[in-house]
């Protein structure tokens, strides 16, 4: 019997997803990348901390393998924690909530779970939405079903008042004992919903939860939409029920946005439709705006929908289909949009209109993350990942984007061949779309800059 030894000569370099926030420490900005089956955590250094004029750069803090292929990343920051938590989902409908261990200087797992359904057809891709108030997150992995996972979080003053008015134990409207229930984000959650795998809805929802977890369980809720394109939780009052916006396509090809309220009534999780709004036929993505409004991104237009469901502004957008988007400010006025042609756009939301401006060319974005100070991280599957700064003045090439740092990416590999007779390396045909390239990959010692200090007249160095 013959045996073969297989080893990875080059790690996966394609960026599937990226997020930014205070993950390691409350006083720093971090960028977390998903590359295949591993996570990379970076620390962002601004230009003021850099060694030269182009000093803004990302410093790698560590690589962490995952037991599965990462599909989505979401960063949320509960009010009762100094740092943010990371929600990771895999291609096999599994999820994990991760946090940073400051003592061990590594990533620790706080919750794990999986979603299963005995009946139901799997959707084309997994959609994840996190409530801005950190009360719950939702996953859409099967057609017609949304799985809601309530989380423990800090309660506001209004939520504490609602908890003080909890019903008496002899209330006949509740099908469970109040002593077995718990208020979660202002919602009275029954025990059978909190327990792992305890769902009174269709199918079977399974969630394995650790003891120290913030995830309380799972509830499977039915929706009418079968082809869901995107879904996001909207901003709103923390004491009110959460609102989930669902972008879907009808059988006749038209697309609509339907907003549901998600809450608990008489011990049952309920999703009630609030309003429906027709959108552009090429709409593919939703972006919630602080205050309760919603931005609908499409191939032909950028639309703003009010919290009551009225279309208040719209603007035509020239370019290819939308690939990624990220807010550049915290007020919800400037939205960076990357399309599949590698062009970066800026949508400016004004009182009664939307202004779309072309910023410049980057790698074809698979994800965008705003690091701070007008600096964006552009993750890409078709080219190198980039750390880019947005400028108010156009450069020599007429672009308003300046690349500060580049992270190499070999994906996608179309073809390769061995160079030379003695194993001189591998010539890889990598990249696609706007950034195709031929690259030579070979074993050796690489040099990576960890930092620098501007010194003039240096002649000798001792260690």
């Amino acid at each position: 019997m013959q045996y073969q030894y297989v080893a990875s000569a080059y790690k996966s370099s394609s960026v599937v997803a990226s997020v930014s926030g205070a993950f390691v420490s409350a006083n720093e900005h971090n960028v977390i990348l998903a590359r295949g089956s591993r996570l990379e955590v970076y620390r962002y250094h601004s230009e003021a901390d850099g060694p030269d004029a182009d000093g803004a750069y990302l410093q790698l803090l560590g690589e962490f393998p995952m037991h599965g292929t990462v599909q989505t990343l979401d960063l949320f920051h509960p009010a009762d924690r100094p740092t943010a938590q990371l929600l990771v989902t895999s291609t096999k409908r599994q999820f994990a909530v991760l946090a940073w261990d400051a003592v061990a200087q590594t990533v620790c797992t706080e919750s794990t779970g999986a979603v299963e359904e005995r009946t139901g057809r799997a959707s084309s891709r997994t959609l994840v939405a996190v409530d801005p108030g950190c009360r719950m997150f939702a996953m859409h992995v099967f057609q017609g079903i949304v799985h809601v996972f309530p989380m423990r979080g800090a309660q506001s003053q209004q939520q504490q008042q609602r908890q003080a008015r909890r019903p008496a134990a002899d209330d006949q409207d509740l099908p469970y004992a109040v002593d077995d229930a718990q208020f979660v984000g202002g919602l009275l959650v029954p025990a059978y919903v909190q327990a792992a795998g305890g769902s009174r809805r269709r199918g079977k929802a399974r969630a394995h939860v650790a003891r120290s977890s913030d995830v309380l369980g799972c509830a499977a809720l039915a929706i009418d939409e079968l082809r869901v394109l995107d879904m996001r939780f909207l901003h709103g009052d923390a004491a009110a029920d959460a609102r989930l916006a669902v972008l879907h396509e009808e059988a006749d090809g038209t697309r609509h946005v339907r907003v549901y309220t998600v809450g608990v009534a008489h011990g049952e999780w309920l999703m009630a439709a609030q309003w429906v709004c027709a959108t552009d036929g090429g709409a593919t993505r939703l972006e919630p705006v602080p205050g309760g409004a919603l931005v609908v991104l499409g191939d032909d237009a950028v639309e703003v929908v009010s919290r009551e469901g009225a279309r208040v502004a719209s603007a035509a957008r020239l370019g290819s289909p939308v690939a990624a988007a990220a807010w550049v400010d915290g007020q919800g006025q400037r939205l960076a949009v990357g399309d599949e042609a590698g062009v970066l756009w800026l949508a400016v939301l004004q009182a009664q209109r939307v202004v779309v401006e072309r910023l410049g060319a980057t790698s074809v974005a698979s994800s965008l993350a705003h690091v701070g100070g007008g600096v964006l991280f552009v993750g890409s599957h078709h080219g190198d990942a980039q750390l880019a700064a947005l400028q108010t003045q156009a450069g020599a090439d007429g672009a308003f984007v300046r690349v500060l740092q580049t992270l190499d990416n070999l994906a996608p590999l179309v073809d390769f061949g061995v160079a030379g007779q003695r194993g001189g390396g591998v010539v890889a045909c990598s990249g696609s779309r706007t950034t195709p390239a031929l690259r030579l990959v070979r074993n050796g010692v690489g040099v990576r800059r960890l930092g620098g200090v501007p010194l003039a007249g240096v002649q000798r160095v001792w260690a």
Side-chain angles (χ1 to χ4, degrees):
M1 182 180 294
Q2 296 181 354
Y3 296 93
Q4 294 182 348
Y5 175 76
V6 180
S8 298
Y10 194 86
K11 298 179 182 179
S12 175
S13 57
S14 171
V15 178
V16 179
S18 62
V19 291
S20 64
F23 182 68
V24 175
S25 174
N27 300 321
E28 67 181 47
H29 294 280
N30 302 110
V31 177
I32 301 99
L33 311 183
R35 291 188 168 185
S37 59
R38 78 180 195 278
L39 298 179
E40 294 182 352
V41 180
Y42 290 84
R43 176 182 290 122
Y44 169 69
H45 296 271
S46 63
E47 292 190 1
D49 302 330
D52 47 45
D54 295 336
Y57 66 98
L58 296 176
Q59 177 189 359
L60 180 63
L61 298 182
E63 300 179 357
F64 307 96
M66 304 293 294
H67 298 291
T69 303
V70 179
Q71 190 170 21
T72 64
L73 293 179
D74 288 276
L75 202 67
F76 59 95
H77 195 165
D80 59 342
R81 298 180 65 102
T83 57
Q85 294 176 290
L86 182 65
L87 174 62
V88 185
T89 63
S90 70
T91 56
K92 293 187 177 181
R93 310 182 188 102
Q94 300 170 328
F95 71 88
V97 177
L98 308 179
W100 183 262
D101 189 344
V103 178
Q105 290 295 301
T106 186
V107 171
C108 62
T109 303
E110 301 213 348
S111 302
T112 59
V115 176
E116 292 183 355
E117 285 290 337
R118 294 177 180 174
T119 60
R121 179 180 300 176
S123 59
S124 59
R125 63 190 182 100
T126 300
L127 298 176
V128 181
V130 180
D131 177 37
C134 301
R135 296 173 294 179
M136 64 187 73
F137 67 89
M139 295 179 60
H140 178 267
V141 294
F142 293 95
Q143 293 183 2
I145 304 175
V146 173
H147 292 84
V148 178
F149 297 85
M151 298 183 294
R152 287 192 188 91
Q155 297 181 348
S156 63
Q157 182 178 2
Q158 293 180 342
Q159 294 170 341
Q160 293 176 1
Q161 294 176 358
R162 294 181 63 178
Q163 181 175 359
R165 297 194 301 266
R166 58 192 305 173
D170 57 352
D171 195 335
Q172 300 299 325
D173 294 335
L174 299 179
Y176 57 90
V178 179
D179 293 338
D180 296 333
Q182 181 179 359
F183 271 81
V184 180
L187 304 177
L188 189 59
V189 182
Y192 60 75
V193 176
Q194 297 176 30
S199 175
R200 298 287 293 272
R201 296 294 178 181
R202 56 181 294 189
K204 172 189 176 184
R206 179 172 63 89
H208 298 297
V209 180
R211 292 183 179 179
S212 61
S213 168
D214 288 339
V215 180
L216 298 179
C218 175
L221 307 178
I223 59 176
D224 297 332
E225 295 76 20
L226 296 180
R227 190 183 178 190
V228 178
L229 304 177
D230 196 9
M231 68 176 190
R232 301 294 294 271
F233 277 103
L234 303 182
H235 294 268
D237 188 4
D241 291 339
R243 298 193 304 155
L244 180 66
V246 178
L247 174 64
H248 66 281
E249 184 178 17
E250 301 287 354
D252 57 358
T254 60
R255 300 185 179 184
H256 298 80
V257 175
R258 186 187 301 270
V259 172
Y260 291 91
T261 57
V262 184
V264 175
H266 304 297
E268 291 284 346
W269 279 90
L270 298 177
M271 289 185 63
Q274 192 175 27
W275 51 261
V276 180
C277 178
T279 63
D280 178 71
T284 56
R285 192 180 182 93
L286 301 177
E287 291 294 336
V289 182
L294 183 68
V295 174
V296 183
L297 299 175
D299 301 341
D300 302 323
V302 178
E303 301 174 335
V304 179
V305 181
S306 66
R307 61 179 303 155
E308 291 80 16
R311 298 168 64 178
V312 296
S314 178
R317 187 186 66 84
L318 301 177
S320 300
V322 175
W327 290 105
V328 183
D329 57 1
Q331 292 76 30
Q333 297 179 352
R334 298 188 301 164
L335 180 65
V337 181
D339 61 18
E340 294 185 359
V343 179
L344 187 64
W345 304 80
L346 183 65
V348 182
L349 277 62
Q350 299 180 357
Q352 298 295 332
R353 63 172 184 165
V354 179
V355 179
V356 180
E357 300 179 356
R358 188 183 189 276
L359 297 180
T362 62
S363 298
V364 178
S366 60
S367 64
L368 290 176
H370 181 236
V371 183
V375 178
L376 283 175
F377 177 81
V378 182
S380 178
H381 170 72
H382 304 278
D384 295 337
Q386 298 171 333
L387 186 68
L390 305 183
Q391 303 179 120
T392 57
Q393 301 294 331
D397 56 351
F400 293 87
V401 180
R402 179 167 59 97
V403 178
L404 303 177
Q405 184 180 3
T406 300
L407 303 181
D408 294 335
N409 174 30
L410 290 183
L413 285 174
V414 181
D415 195 8
F416 67 91
V418 179
Q421 299 293 331
R422 300 181 180 179
V426 175
V427 177
C429 179
S430 64
S432 64
R433 305 285 178 88
T434 60
T435 54
L438 284 176
R439 307 197 184 196
L440 178 62
V441 183
R442 58 184 177 182
N443 294 329
V445 178
V447 178
R448 177 183 298 171
R449 191 185 80 164
L450 299 180
V453 177
L455 295 177
V458 177
Q459 297 180 356
R460 295 181 181 180
V461 177
W462 291 269

